[in-house]
Amino acid sequence: MKIRLFVLLAMAAGAALANPHEKTLANGLRIIVQEDRRAPTAVHMVWYRAGSMDEVDGTSGVAHVLEHMMFKGTKNLKPGEFNKRVAAAGGRDNAFTSLDYTAYFQQVPARRLGEMMALEADRMANLVLDPKEFAQEIKVVMEERRLRTEDNPQSLVYEKQMAAAFQAHPYRRPIIGWMNDLEAMTAADARDWYRRWYAPNNAYVIVVGDVNKDEVFHLAERHYGKIPRRALPERKPQSEPAQVGIKRLSVKAPAKLPYVSLAWKVPVLRDLHKEREPYALEMLAGVLDGHEAARLARHLVRGSKVAVSAGAGYDATVRGEALFIISGTPAEGKSVAELESALRAEIARVANEGVGAQELERVKTQVIAAQVYKRDSMMAQAMEIGRSEAVGVHWRDIHTLLEKIRSVSAEEVRAVAKKYFGDDTLTVAVLDPQPLPEGAQQKSVSTGRH
């Protein structure tokens, strides 16, 4: 029965991805449409292939700052009017910035899709970066940094770990930006970023919902088609030099409990068809932390009780370099050194003993099941297509990713556990808890995928 379920899930995932349609406008803007008529709504997303990894030293955080400024008015709209227009159409909207991309979305009644395209096309071409609006919004971003990073001990550990793990690669800079860069940032910095990267030939539009593909293509041509393409900056290779030994750092911050995070440099997926190790690393992360009965929870939290929480994370599909991270909070009476040893022992156990066939199949089934369940959400479908396209994986190849993961063998998982988890590529970050201010409570952060 379990095998039959796995096959059915895989078939359903493949069938769901057969639908998207694509057209590229003369200005280079790609339009990707997934028809889903289960509800009279539509998700409209605009993705720009520009994230914090494209920034340069001295302007860290500018990609995220511009995301904020995209809501502050155009030649045709007053500040804040964008959100009001979306709400008046019965929809919701937001945006997000990552290391690799920046994206904007609206979810509205399908009949209002054309209005959303008009709004997004307007700010793609006609954004106004008023110095007074910028001066107010940069304060909002700085406060966001204080709340989400500086006042959040585990987020602070992650930021410092990334900065230590990467010597040259731009992933060393935080998405939110360093505080001194934010303090020195001007509207001109944001304007330069906008002019460099916000062009139709550096973007793609995703529409998922109760729509007709031909009508969507027609609307896109009407609203986006007149925006001229622009020459884009040259993207030079940004490779990280080989690490030549373990890196360790301690981060002092007010907190109730210590915390330890171990990050190894591992391969990233570049060739979907020829490479095998990234898929095996995905399965290793799933074996350690992919479900309630996964090894870290079973052995370290409920078994030896050396940890109150533990997790693992790895993403094979990124534009830059990849890290495999395991982390956790030691239980009362246990030290971070004991937990570090226990975390490393779990990977060593896989390397020495391997994984069982049933254990591996359980992880694969979870992966495929998650793929199927996300089809219930139009937003999840749009997000999946968008994230894949942002890192160079065409939407037609998403099913290939699933098939490759399904084909991973237990021996391949054991092989990567043996190969990539020595000291030479490891960066260890430890939270050294300091006394909390009177009446303060420690904020919690998931120790799973970052």
Side-chain angles (χ1 to χ4, degrees), residues 310-382:
Y314 166 70
D315 188 350
T317 53
V318 293
R319 279 177 55 200
E321 308 264 352
L323 294 175
F324 191 107
I325 298 176
I326 56 173
S327 57
T329 298
E332 186 176 358
K334 302 295 183 179
S335 68
V336 289
E338 289 175 294
L339 179 52
E340 178 185 334
S341 296
L343 289 168
R344 298 184 72 172
E346 288 304 314
I347 294 180
R349 182 181 297 185
V350 176
N352 295 328
E353 302 173 7
V355 296
Q358 287 188 335
E359 181 180 22
L360 185 58
E361 183 178 305
R362 186 182 303 117
V363 175
K364 292 179 181 179
T365 302
Q366 295 254 341
V367 170
I368 301 298
Q371 190 74 15
V372 174
Y373 296 148
K374 73 175 60 171
R375 302 300 170 197
D376 291 334
S377 165
M378 293 181 187
M379 179 60 68
Q381 293 177 61

Side-chain angles (χ1 to χ4, degrees), residues 73-92:
T74 70
K75 295 176 182 178
N76 304 304
L77 293 179
K78 297 178 181 179
E81 192 174 348
F82 188 103
N83 304 95
K84 293 177 182 178
R85 295 277 187 96
V86 177
R92 64 185 183 96

Side-chain angles (χ1 to χ4, degrees), residues 300-320:
L300 305 189
V301 178
R302 298 193 297 273
S304 65
K305 293 182 171 57
V306 71
V308 293
S309 64
Y314 166 70
D315 188 350
T317 53
V318 293
R319 279 177 55 200

